[in-house]
Amino acid sequence: MPKFMLLQKYEGGEGCSEPMSNWPPQDIKAHIDFQVALNQELRHHGEFVDAQGLSAPELARIVTVDAGGAPVVTDGPFLESKEFLAGYRMIDVETPERAIAIAAQASAAPGPGGVPIRQPIEVREVMGAPAIEL
Amino acid sequence: MSQGRGVEELLRELAPQVLGVLVRRYGDFDTAEDAVQEALLVASTRWSQDGLPESPRGWLIQVAVHKLTDQRRSEQARRRREQLTLAQEVSGAEVPDRDDTLAVLFMCAHPALTPASAIALTLRAVGGLSTAEIAGAFLVPEATMAQRISRAKQRIESSGMPFQLPEREHWPERLRSVLHVLYLIFNEGYTSSAGPDLHRAELAGEAIRLTRAVHELLPHDGEVAGLLALMLLTEARRAARTGPDGALIPLAEQDRARWDRRLIAEGERLLTGAFAAGAVGEYQLQAAIAALHDGARRTADTDWPQILALYELLERISANPMVTLNRAIATAMVHGPERGLALLEALDEPLGEHHRLDAVRAHLLEMAGDPCAAAKHYRAAAKRTRSIPEQHYLTTQAARLGVSVG
């Protein structure tokens, strides 16, 4: 079975571009409940591998190495924080179509007033296929 | 042989037999399967410490029946203790039917199951592997694998299919599903050989063990023998197909001294027996092709005309684009790359998205003396593969040609 990463950034979607910190508390709760329930459903189907949220872009550091081999660290705040990864789900499913269906479900997570955010979900297959004898 | 290893092997051989006895008696595949797993766990510790009981099979049956009784009792305590006599119904000495293992296999390759669930269930119920081991092999959490197995069992349960060997008219089709599941397990394992994939490599060994068991039960079935031969003849090349760094080494460049002659000889023997028995099937033909590769001491000695003839036969009995793709390679080796490339044109439609079409086209274009076009297709193949070692290989091929073109 192929594994897929479903990646979510900080950008909003058609339904809502407002940061979560500006939502009414009950809507934040509904959103979190939705995510927990989705993971629970994936577990129940035997498709769940992992799901994690990442700490805020404010805590991100960009690291490169200088010519001498020493790390060069850039701290935030970053201008393009919406481009940062917010979290991911890894799923193990029978078909690519199933991965798309789950991604669509994730994109329908509710925002303020329960309106689906319709956030873009990036679906990437994990390179785990058996190699064919060449 | 260490005591521990002997115990594990014995347990896994007995697992489907014991399960067969329980399901035949109580009809509840799901609960019986859980009970057998529990009994295996108890036996694993107990036997390693105290040595084998007089009748390991009887011992296991008895413990499994107790587990099943416990389970049912706790379920039914609320109603009434109507199953009190359950434990006495099966004596430990009961001899399992030879067909039980087969019936369990057929059950696990149930038509209502998806391949992934059939694989997981087969490894557990027939292979006697624990859920944790199967989860490790497929790199998913144990809870996820447990859920997958439990859903598979529920599906079987709700299908209402009785626990028995299929009717005569359904036999070929059902056996085909069983063999397909075993083939998929082998493929999962065969093609992974390094680092975190080591667990998966063990799947190939497990697939061989299970297919061997099926062959012992059905020694006259040519396709069972064919599949076992195919696995052995393929497995024989394992050590040569990856470099020390995990890089893929294509067949033509493998160090043939590292091929396992013992496995090759066994595969060839099986194949000869299968062909002698008559009716030729898909697995036998694939095994025959593998045998021709394995039989060539040097790449240059490969009997391509014979391989081409076998692919033509294979295409006649099971036409699919992948077979045509392989026939194109054989055609190129016999009649020249242009003839092979011409065959590939018909595959653009069915295999257009598949990296293997690009990889083969690249290879044949290189043979035809067109390194630029070859490099382009190697790069396209590298972008489409879903395997990291393959991607490295294809990218390196493209780069190699790029350099030589200048």
Side-chain angles (χ1 to χ4, degrees), chain A residues 1 3 48 94 125 130-132, chain B residues 114 116 138 144 191 386 390:
Chain A
M1 301 219 318
K3 288 190 178 63
F48 180 88
E94 298 268 356
E125 185 165 346
I132 295 171
Chain B
T114 60
F138 289 95
T144 296
T191 45
R386 292 168 170 86
E390 246 179 35

Side-chain angles (χ1 to χ4, degrees), chain B residues 34 59 93 108 128 165 223 246 282 298 386-387:
Chain B
D34 284 336
W59 192 100
C108 295
L165 290 177
E223 276 296 82
E282 225 177 304
R298 297 171 310 154
R386 292 168 170 86
S387 146

Side-chain angles (χ1 to χ4, degrees), chain A residues 32-108:
Chain A
I32 293 169
D33 289 349
F34 173 93
Q35 303 290 1
V36 170
L38 178 55
N39 291 342
Q40 200 48 43
E41 186 188 326
L42 295 173
R43 278 191 192 93
H44 182 68
H45 284 157
E47 298 173 320
F48 180 88
V49 180
D50 192 18
Q52 299 292 341
L54 305 181
S55 60
E58 284 70 17
L59 296 176
R61 278 168 293 177
I62 308 284
V63 180
T64 51
V65 66
D66 70 12
V72 180
V73 180
T74 314
D75 290 310
F78 301 100
L79 285 175
E80 301 296 331
S81 66
K82 285 191 172 190
E83 287 302 309
F84 276 66
L85 205 56
Y88 65 85
R89 281 193 174 85
M90 198 196 279
I91 52 175
D92 191 37
V93 289
E94 298 268 356
T95 60
E97 290 73 26
R98 175 66 187 146
I100 302 266
I102 296 169
Q105 235 179 312
S107 176

Side-chain angles (χ1 to χ4, degrees), chain B residues 14-320:
Chain B
L14 292 175
Q17 301 176 16
V18 173
L19 176 56
V21 170
L22 260 71
V23 183
R24 189 147 44 83
R25 275 309 177 100
Y26 306 117
D28 183 350
F29 184 79
D30 187 357
T31 328
E33 205 274 328
D34 284 336
V36 172
Q37 275 281 326
E38 285 184 52
L40 292 177
L41 279 177
V42 178
S44 171
T45 352
R46 194 78 57 82
W47 297 1
S48 304
Q49 282 166 10
D50 309 344
L52 295 184
E54 205 169 302
S55 158
R57 183 156 43 203
W59 192 100
L60 265 184
I61 292 174
Q62 236 164 14
V63 173
V65 167
H66 278 294
K67 296 283 177 193
L68 185 68
T69 318
D70 287 348
Q71 256 171 24
R72 291 200 166 178
R73 268 205 203 117
S74 60
E75 277 164 25
Q76 294 174 341
R78 275 164 278 120
R79 292 177 236 160
R80 251 185 318 122
R81 299 200 156 199
E82 57 196 46
Q83 302 289 334
L84 264 179
T85 54
L86 198 62
Q88 285 103 49
E89 280 179 28
V90 175
S91 89
E94 170 155 355
V95 180
D97 195 310
R98 175 198 80 115
D99 290 345
D100 282 344
T101 300
L102 272 182
V104 172
L105 259 166
F106 279 115
M107 209 69 177
C108 295
H110 194 286
L113 298 182
T114 60
S117 1
I119 287 173
L121 190 56
T122 301
L123 287 170
R124 202 174 111 126
V126 191
L129 291 178
S130 70
T131 304
E133 288 170 316
I134 304 167
F138 289 95
L139 307 172
V140 299
E142 187 178 343
T144 296
M145 190 50 78
Q147 196 54 31
R148 204 175 286 173
I149 291 169
S150 137
R151 281 168 70 91
K153 291 196 286 184
Q154 283 159 20
R155 257 206 127 100
I156 289 178
E157 207 76 28
S158 61
S159 81
M161 184 184 278
F163 179 78
Q164 61 187 34
L165 290 177
E167 303 283 339
R168 203 176 168 73
E169 77 233 56
H170 300 306
W171 182 276
E173 167 201 340
R174 299 285 307 280
L175 182 60
R176 210 164 29 242
S177 311
V178 169
L179 296 185
H180 185 60
V181 168
L182 296 173
Y183 178 76
L184 290 176
I185 295 174
F186 178 79
N187 261 352
E188 273 294 331
Y190 175 67
T191 45
S192 1
S193 54
D197 288 349
L198 265 182
H199 281 299
R200 285 174 67 184
E202 288 163 19
L203 288 175
E206 181 61 14
I208 290 175
R209 187 181 77 83
L210 294 178
T211 311
R212 216 183 262 289
V214 181
H215 175 61
E216 274 161 30
L217 293 166
L218 300 170
H220 303 300
D221 188 287
E223 276 296 82
V224 175
L227 177 59
L228 180 55
L230 174 61
M231 288 178 180
L232 297 173
L233 291 162
T234 311
E235 177 72 7
R237 302 196 290 255
R238 176 194 288 283
R241 82 184 286 275
T242 38
D245 51 356
L248 280 187
I249 303 176
L251 190 53
E253 288 160 34
Q254 289 174 15
D255 174 4
R256 295 176 180 228
R258 301 186 66 200
W259 289 359
D260 187 331
R261 293 283 145 201
R262 198 182 47 85
L263 289 181
I264 294 174
E266 191 189 350
E268 284 171 342
R269 247 191 337 271
L270 277 163
L271 200 53
T272 312
F275 277 129
V280 169
E282 225 177 304
Y283 291 121
Q284 289 165 74
L285 289 175
Q286 287 191 48
I289 292 164
L292 285 170
H293 283 299
D294 290 4
R297 289 280 169 173
R298 297 171 310 154
T299 303
D301 298 338
T302 308
D303 187 350
W304 284 107
Q306 187 72 16
I307 291 174
L308 176 57
L310 287 169
Y311 273 124
E312 282 165 356
L313 203 53
L314 188 56
E315 207 172 20
R316 225 170 297 153
I317 63 169
S318 81
N320 79 59

